[in-house]
Amino acid sequence: MAELREKAGDQQEAERLYRQAADAGDSDVLMKLAQMRKTAGDQQEAEHLYRQAADAGDFEALNRLARMRAEAGNQQEAERLVRFGLTAEGEIEALWSP
């Protein structure tokens, strides 16, 4: 239903339906929601949703999050994100040494 609403141009209803699916445990829609928020200019919410998708096991979410950081001019941070990933708190993991 969400995809049909989106194709019909009803972004608000599509997003509501995608969120319902995510709340019901469908983690695959988190990427779609993140892209919708990014397109709408809500970078903070898009990053939050990409982190949620990464937590749910979607490795592509980290790549997209890194791409967002690079587009914002944080190339070094983007490279660290791809290389080291995120901590449980959602921060970029630091270089680890024994």
Side-chain angles (χ1 to χ4, degrees):
M1 285 298 291
E3 288 179 0
L4 291 174
R5 296 308 326 143
E6 186 177 9
K7 287 178 183 176
D10 188 352
Q11 299 299 313
Q12 187 174 1
E13 181 62 10
E15 188 169 330
R16 187 187 72 76
L17 291 167
Y18 281 131
R19 286 189 185 276
Q20 261 187 339
D23 290 344
D26 185 350
S27 61
D28 293 337
V29 300
L30 292 170
M31 294 288 283
K32 186 65 176 168
L33 277 169
Q35 186 58 45
M36 289 178 78
R37 290 290 74 221
K38 182 181 179 196
T39 300
D42 188 351
Q43 304 301 313
Q44 185 175 359
E45 182 64 11
E47 283 200 14
H48 174 74
L49 288 162
Y50 282 136
R51 284 193 306 269
Q52 281 186 301
D55 288 345
D58 191 326
F59 294 109
E60 178 59 25
L62 285 178
N63 289 327
R64 291 196 187 178
L65 184 55
R67 195 172 312 129
M68 282 184 67
R69 299 276 173 96
E71 289 169 357
N74 298 325
Q75 185 63 40
Q76 195 172 33
E77 192 174 285
E79 290 172 8
R80 282 186 36 240
L81 176 59
V82 170
R83 185 169 180 198
F84 301 115
L86 296 170
T87 66
E89 292 80 24
E91 301 298 321
I92 298 175
E93 184 67 72
L95 177 63
W96 184 84
S97 61

